[in-house]
Amino acid sequence: MQKKIPQRQCMGCRERKAKKELIRVVRCADGVVRLDFSGKVNGRGAYLCPDPACLQKAIRSKALERSLEAPISQAVYDQLAKEMEAAHG
């Protein structure tokens, strides 16, 4: 029997993909929003494709802010964009 692959929805394109293909953004208990590459940091999480277009859609629709129930600073968005550029480059 094949093991079930965990699926998560991208906040930008709204597509369901394997959890390992997505980048997790987490709001910790202290209210800090940051990237979580291990997928194990405690806190409320949301997922994004490693695609700059998905990030732009999530920023425009404020999907990440709604999902994490917290305002997100431009610095966090900049960090996300930088990580995505590194992944694609």
Side-chain angles (χ1 to χ4, degrees):
M1 197 163 120
Q2 200 170 14
K3 189 174 179 185
K4 188 176 176 189
I5 299 170
Q7 300 277 306
R8 298 293 183 267
Q9 187 175 37
C10 171
M11 292 287 106
C13 65
R14 311 296 290 173
E15 285 183 32
R16 293 186 72 79
K17 298 185 178 181
K19 185 177 170 183
K20 289 185 183 230
E21 295 175 20
L22 302 171
I23 298 172
R24 184 171 187 244
V25 183
V26 65
R27 175 181 52 88
C28 302
D30 58 5
V32 176
V33 176
R34 63 180 183 201
L35 297 173
D36 171 22
F37 294 103
S38 69
K40 294 179 168 53
V41 174
N42 284 341
R44 186 167 182 87
Y47 294 83
L48 276 173
C49 294
D51 179 3
C54 285
L55 176 61
Q56 291 307 315
K57 286 180 192 173
I59 291 171
R60 273 198 309 273
S61 67
K62 296 192 185 290
L64 278 176
E65 291 185 3
R66 279 197 313 273
S67 181
L68 297 176
E69 300 172 353
I72 299 175
S73 69
Q74 187 59 44
V76 173
Y77 286 132
D78 292 343
Q79 179 67 23
L80 267 169
K82 198 159 96 177
E83 295 293 339
M84 287 178 183
E85 291 294 323
H88 275 285

